[in-house]
Amino acid sequence: MGEESREDVGEQLEPGGRAVAPGRLVTIQRFVNTWNREFPTEQDRLGTLRSAATWLNDNKLVPNLAEGNKLQASDLASLRDFREALRALATSNVTGSCDPADVDVIRAAAAVAPMTATIDDDGRTHLEADRSGVDGVVATLIAILHEAQLAGDWVRLKGCRQCGYAFFDRSKNRSAAWCSMSICGNRTKNRTYYKRQRSTDQPPDGRSRTKEIL
């Protein structure tokens, strides 16, 4: 991936050529991918008030921001914390466990982001945000999380073990652990290989092993 394309990751680009998550779950995927922990912080789409408002409006999460409902600096911090907790939850679909502290962040956010159950013309129920602004963003994302868990799609949304990028695993056995085998998978395997090589080259007394010249 070239430097010129890094800012498009999570928007126009999917590492490994993967298809995006289905339905509304792609909104959570895009939200998590507003920043990648291998990228500089200035590329965080939730890093400034202007960039966050643009991204939220473009993704139809808070369309009323354009009507004067302004974001605050504290809103950004809360959104970033919530994003990282969602990333951790998605990564737990690879690792099998999630830090209780991350679950607490999501739980606390949900407590102040009320939702209402609505029924569409086909009789299907949906959870909709009761508030606008940042609380509405959180409520909408939690509603999508709930839907995806009920549908069984959530377990396929994963956080890459190397970079944290959120990707949708469409493999039959749901075994994917990296956003791209050619990018993060190989890097992880190479790092493990070199670490193993160093350990085998190290004698029990801790001194570097040298070859005798005869």
Side-chain angles (χ1 to χ4, degrees), residues 52-74:
T54 298
W55 190 89
L56 293 170
N57 277 308
D58 287 348
N59 286 271
K60 299 179 173 58
L61 281 169
V62 193
N64 57 342
L65 283 178
E67 301 169 5
N69 189 359
K70 301 299 183 182
L71 283 171
Q72 304 296 322
S74 58

Side-chain angles (χ1 to χ4, degrees), residues 14-139:
E14 293 295 318
R18 295 180 186 276
V20 297
R24 295 213 301 167
L25 185 54
V26 70
T27 304
I28 289 184
Q29 182 182 15
R30 293 289 192 236
F31 179 71
V32 171
N33 291 338
T34 51
W35 183 67
N36 182 300
R37 62 181 175 229
E38 295 200 340
F39 290 177
T41 54
E42 56 265 26
Q43 289 186 11
D44 189 341
R45 298 180 185 96
L46 303 181
T48 67
L49 293 172
R50 176 175 293 183
S51 64
T54 298
W55 190 89
L56 293 170
N57 277 308
D58 287 348
N59 286 271
K60 299 179 173 58
L61 281 169
V62 193
N64 57 342
L65 283 178
E67 301 169 5
N69 189 359
K70 301 299 183 182
L71 283 171
Q72 304 296 322
S74 58
D75 294 331
L76 291 188
S78 296
L79 281 175
R80 290 193 295 265
D81 288 345
F82 183 63
R83 175 189 64 194
E84 296 311 308
L86 283 178
R87 189 194 310 278
L89 195 62
T91 303
S92 73
N93 288 331
V94 176
T95 63
S97 62
C98 187
D99 190 328
D102 291 309
V103 177
D104 284 343
V105 170
I106 298 173
R107 184 179 292 118
V112 293
M115 291 164 273
T116 296
T118 61
I119 303 176
D120 65 19
D121 292 339
D122 294 320
R124 293 173 299 192
T125 59
H126 303 273
L127 291 176
E128 301 291 344
D130 261 355
R131 294 181 185 173
S132 58
V134 172
D135 287 345
V137 173
V138 171

